[in-house]
Amino acid sequence: MMTLSTNQELIQSFKDLVILYNQLEQTTLKFGTDTELHPAEIDTIDVIGKYPFSNLTSLANYQGVTRGTASKMIQRLEKKQMIIKQKAQNSDKELQITLTEKGKIARQKHQEYVFEIDKKIKSLYDPLPDEFLAQLLISVKQTKALLKNIIQQRQ
């Protein structure tokens, strides 16, 4: 059983992790190109790579954002020469979105970057017993559910 101070330290550490993650989400990297990319941009590039020839509506759905938000992101990525918009083969009105070679490089380097970060984080948890990790996972899921509930109550 954790003491009150251990509980408080764990809660504060969780809050600190969230703050650090939010700071990380504000940083940019070039991912093997000459262009700085924000996390939301490289995440969009990753989705386009995963679902090539998507249209704007499907891209918005894959990302869980509005069509307007997806449209603004596509404009930014087009200016950065990461994507190409072209007419769909079966429609004169619909546009398809694909990665440029530069976009493909950024996606590949991003995947390598994520793999390395995940490997480093995994190494922190590898020494812990499976039973402890299983209990920790339960606690994390319960914390997520609690936070979602609090968000719903605020809306």
Side-chain angles (χ1 to χ4, degrees):
M1 184 70 127
M2 277 195 233
T3 65
L4 183 58
S5 63
T6 304
N7 256 335
Q8 289 169 328
E9 187 175 346
L10 183 62
I11 291 167
Q12 186 58 51
S13 293
F14 176 74
K15 289 176 181 178
D16 293 344
L17 276 173
V18 171
I19 290 167
L20 287 170
Y21 183 80
N22 287 334
Q23 288 174 354
L24 184 63
E25 285 292 297
Q26 301 305 313
T27 61
T28 60
L29 285 173
K30 293 184 180 179
F31 296 107
T33 70
D34 60 351
T35 305
E36 294 283 336
L37 294 166
H38 291 274
E41 293 170 331
I42 195 66
D43 289 345
T44 302
I45 288 169
D46 194 49
V47 170
I48 294 167
K50 187 174 181 179
Y51 303 103
F53 305 106
S54 294
N55 62 28
L56 189 59
T57 301
S58 59
L59 179 63
N61 289 336
Y62 294 138
Q63 292 191 283
V65 298
T66 65
R67 216 171 166 276
T69 298
S71 178
K72 288 177 186 174
M73 181 60 69
I74 292 307
Q75 289 172 3
R76 285 173 34 192
L77 292 175
E78 193 173 29
K79 284 180 186 174
K80 292 183 176 193
Q81 301 174 333
M82 294 288 165
I83 59 132
I84 298 170
K85 292 188 301 190
Q86 57 195 29
K87 286 190 178 190
Q89 291 179 350
N90 57 351
S91 170
D92 289 338
K93 295 178 184 178
E94 194 172 309
L95 294 176
Q96 293 179 327
I97 304 159
T98 57
L99 295 177
T100 62
E101 283 306 310
K102 186 176 175 180
K104 290 175 184 176
I105 291 168
R107 181 174 188 250
Q108 177 62 40
K109 294 296 182 183
H110 174 253
Q111 289 175 329
E112 292 170 11
Y113 173 79
V114 168
F115 178 80
E116 286 302 314
I117 298 265
D118 287 353
K119 192 166 82 172
K120 289 176 183 177
I121 292 171
K122 183 182 178 300
S123 74
L124 299 173
Y125 292 95
D126 278 344
L128 301 174
D130 288 344
E131 301 80 27
F132 176 79
L133 291 174
Q135 187 58 49
L136 181 61
L137 183 58
I138 290 168
S139 296
V140 168
K141 287 180 179 181
Q142 290 171 338
T143 303
K144 282 174 52 178
L146 174 67
L147 293 176
K148 284 181 181 181
N149 188 25
I150 291 170
I151 290 168
Q152 288 174 346
Q153 289 174 3
R154 288 184 173 189
Q155 295 176 343

